[in-house]
Amino acid sequence: MFTNKETFKKVFCNRLEMLSGKSFSESTSRDHYNTLGSLVREYISSNWIQTNEKYRSSKQKQVYYLSIEFLLGRLLGNNLINLGINQIVEEGLLELGIDIKNIEEAEADAGLGNGGLGRLAACFLDSLASLNLPGHGCGIRYKHGLFDQKIIEGYQVEYPEQWLRHGNVWEIRKSDQAAEISFWGEVESFYHEGKLKFRHVNAEKITAVPYDIPVIGYGTESVNTLQLWNAEPSPFPHNKNILEYKRETEAVSEFLYPDDTHDDGKILRLKQQYFLVSASLQSILRNYKSTHGSLEDLHNGVAIHINDTHPVLAVPELMRILMDEEGMGWYEAWQVTTKTISYTNHTTLSEALEKWPIYIFKPLLPRIFMIVEEINERFCKELWKLYPGDWNRIENMAVIAHGVVKMAHLAIVGSYSVNGVAKLHSEILKKREMKLFYEVYPDKFNNKTNGITHRRWLLKANPQLAALLTETIGNDWIYEPKSLLELKNYRYDPTILERLYDVKISRKEILAKRILAQTGIKVDPYSIFDVQVKRLHEYKRQLLNVLHIMYLYNRMKEDSSFTFHPRTFIFGAKASPGYYYAKKIIKLINSVAEKVNSDKQTSEFLKVIFIENYRVSIAEDIFPAADVSEQISTASKEASGTGNMKFMMNGALTIGTLDGANIEIKDAVGDENIFTFGLKAEEVLHYYQNGGYYSNEYYYHDKRISKVLEQLINGHFPETEGDFEAIYDSLLTQNDQYFVLRDFASYVAAQEQVNDAYQDRSKWLEKSLLNIAHSGYFSSDRTIREYAKHIWKIDS
Ligand SMILES: *Cc1c(COP(=O)(O)O)cnc(C)c1O
């Protein structure tokens, strides 16, 4: 149906009438979207079936990537490109008078994630499929993804997201593969053939129904699967008010938790975690048994990867199934489990390390808790042998201590591989955060620097740049992104550099149009687009960026001869609804924007834009338009970052701290092609350990700082009385835990370098080109190859 335009047009029009029940002239973009989506799904269905057949018959080792988040964004455009049918479709539609852009806009983002962690999972799925590797995602089919953000009078207001409102063409409900999940109840012991056994009784059961979404690789025939679980009532609930039961059940897959670092200790959150894990494991083991029979060699046929600790109950759940349902003894089950499960750590922020109070955990998951207790006891006994008498150490390493279960400890003990997500982060894990575990298990620890799929973030998001690259160096880079290095040969080629400039301007014009439509503000595509888009967090230091803008504005007001290359500062960020301080920073950005944008004296030079509801589909318009990438986290706090890689790949230059993958970006492009500043991770960690930082000193000694901080509380922003006192206090009274003032001067200096560098156009373009050239390393294809080879052992 996609072999040529004529056939496509005919099939499309027929299907459109059939699906929408409307004539062509009455049909809407949504009808077109549903039609095209259903045709694509039909087109890949035999490949999907054959892939599954092949995996079954060849008994090839399968990888299952368990993640509480998958931040997929839109699927249509990506699928068309990966299938190589985008051109026929686009041209065919055009002949029917339809702009494919409008169809793509009709698709809701699948926003089943908060930020980097969920987007990483989505990039990994794309790379697994594109590299023809047998890897699948396991997640939750949240009815509502991350909240929709509106900015009202400068404040963030949240609305429930409704991506499923108009259905989802990509998913297939597989009710015959449902699984039962048990909560509450008690554990009973009994003897069977002389062995002590346990069973979970009086449990409240809910049903998990899988919805399969095809994962289509680029230029490959294999189609992998993302399986998302939906929570539904069991047909036979036990003695409970039926309405209450239904509501409680459906709540399990109703909302994505809108917070990527704090764990607010809700029972529902733990329920979600066990729901995901239990349903996925039941499904994985059912498939495995149907091809392999017994489970003793599970690790030869299956690798289970847990994305952060949210799915770490996979460890005790696998133990439970192997012992209680398959009859294995503890030792054997432990061997199988710890050879099957591997774990990625995503953060060292202590508030983000999951800890569950026993009083919540034990009643909800009584059998699982029992197994965790046993894991803990045996682990502590091992430690006792290694460190006899060292109570302190054992207490610090225990899986259960002081009334809580430490999920990261469970993950390290129960898995065969523990990886960080950038070199610095992995080193901090080994040398500090998990030092005691590293001493016991040196071989488990390794690094896998994050990556992003260059297909979505370059080929799809920036077709203008992709075309220029292909014309210049051929299209090898699409299959082998390291080939982008060939671009280096053109670093002094004025024609190529000027074309790179034209591409950038054209993308800035597209974003400018969008900004105008959304905010009514006209931004100049010839100004420097300086962009910070990411979740709003104190450690990411959007505040440092805003304070710098306030300083620039002040200086212009004081000294009319002070000018610089016009700059458009662009922000996009969602704050967790309960994160009071983060929401005040959003308000501050918007207050500064209002002041600056409405000032005729400065507006030629300075504009500040807050793009609301930052998400994957908007990101695809932002990264290609950026000149400057703001990656200014407090060193040691950002485990890797992936936004930094998307910017780089689209030719933006980074202004950043030596944190996360910024360091590796610097190593790749060289010091001349990045702007670094600020404290190093070691210095930050040294301050935390030894004290010695007094933010007041910076306030008193730097007039730029004192002026800006006073403006937070002195009525400078008239309509915001009291809004920014919390910010003022955190910087001065609470001694600025994220070293914003400490790094201020060095940030200002780095920004001056950015301004100076932009004056030399060909030099800037050369830097931009070199960033693109070196971005191949940061493709998730490279990352996934490393996981496949070193962790999952599926690279045969
Ligand atoms: C890449 C991405 C992120 C992660 O950005 P960081 O700058 O690494 O924090 C978050 N949200 C979306 C929508 C993204 O595409």
Side-chain angles (χ1 to χ4, degrees), residues 100-347:
I100 191 164
K101 283 261 155 4
N102 294 335
I103 300 190
E104 287 180 30
E105 290 287 322
E107 179 172 7
D109 273 50
L112 309 184
N114 276 287
L117 175 143
R119 183 56 228 175
L120 184 75
C123 285
F124 279 6
L125 291 183
D126 183 72
S127 286
L128 280 163
S130 299
L131 295 173
N132 250 316
L133 293 169
H136 313 279
C138 305
I140 295 177
R141 182 179 177 269
Y142 302 104
K143 185 172 172 193
H144 304 286
L146 186 59
F147 66 86
D148 279 330
Q149 177 195 56
K150 279 209 190 330
I151 300 299
I152 298 178
E153 295 181 352
Y155 298 97
Q156 166 175 299
V157 179
E158 304 95 25
Y159 294 88
E161 189 281 340
Q162 308 223 45
W163 71 298
L164 292 173
R165 187 173 30 179
H166 304 292
N168 176 5
V169 282
W170 304 111
E171 67 185 12
I172 299 183
R173 181 181 167 90
K174 297 263 173 82
S175 45
D176 56 323
Q177 292 171 28
E180 291 252 283
I181 318 295
S182 301
F183 296 108
W184 311 109
E186 300 95 44
V187 178
E188 219 173 61
S189 61
F190 61 101
Y191 280 90
H192 178 71
E193 294 172 353
K195 279 197 205 149
L196 180 63
K197 298 285 216 173
F198 298 93
R199 65 181 158 227
H200 187 180
V201 295
N202 297 325
E204 185 177 305
K205 301 203 165 164
I206 73 175
T207 304
V209 180
Y211 284 70
D212 287 1
I213 295 177
V215 182
I216 299 162
Y218 183 87
T220 68
E221 304 215 317
S222 49
V223 176
N224 289 337
T225 302
L226 168 60
Q227 190 156 62
L228 299 179
W229 295 93
N230 198 49
E232 300 178 12
S234 268
F236 308 109
H238 88 158
N239 57 34
K240 232 192 145 160
N241 176 315
I242 195 84
L243 282 177
E244 191 186 331
Y245 168 72
K246 184 169 184 291
R247 194 160 21 84
E248 278 178 20
T249 303
E250 287 167 356
V252 173
S253 58
E254 188 125 310
F255 286 99
L256 166 78
Y257 267 73
D259 195 329
D260 51 354
T261 57
H262 304 102
D263 161 34
D264 61 2
K266 286 269 166 60
I267 292 181
L268 185 55
R269 171 84 174 183
L270 190 60
K271 262 188 167 175
Q272 287 185 332
Q273 297 186 352
Y274 183 65
F275 172 79
L276 163 65
V277 154
S278 180
S280 304
L281 278 174
Q282 290 183 51
S283 160
I284 292 165
L285 295 184
R286 194 192 307 129
N287 284 335
Y288 178 85
K289 277 170 80 175
S290 73
T291 52
H292 293 71
S294 110
L295 293 170
E296 293 132 56
D297 295 319
L298 183 67
H299 69 281
N300 289 328
V302 166
I304 294 173
H305 198 89
I306 58 174
N307 193 24
D308 215 326
T309 54
H310 321 122
V312 74
L313 296 179
V315 172
E317 175 67 359
L318 183 52
M319 289 296 287
R320 182 191 69 79
I321 297 175
L322 294 176
M323 295 188 301
D324 297 0
E325 293 176 14
E326 301 292 331
M328 280 188 197
W330 181 279
Y331 180 79
E332 196 189 354
W334 187 245
Q335 292 303 310
V336 172
T337 299
T338 53
K339 283 184 202 165
T340 304
I341 296 177
S342 49
Y343 156 59
T344 297
N345 173 283
H346 281 270
T347 182

Side-chain angles (χ1 to χ4, degrees), residues 71 115-116 119 457 533-534 540 614-616 641-643 646:
L71 190 47
R119 183 56 228 175
W457 297 109
V533 287
K534 47 181 76 244
K540 290 177 184 281
Y614 178 57
R615 61 193 186 280
V616 172
T642 49
K646 300 168 198 164

Side-chain angles (χ1 to χ4, degrees), residues 385-401:
K385 278 190 228 153
L386 289 170
Y387 308 104
D390 195 345
W391 287 107
N392 206 21
R393 178 186 294 256
I394 295 171
E395 185 183 322
N396 283 331
M397 297 179 75
V399 176
I400 304 176

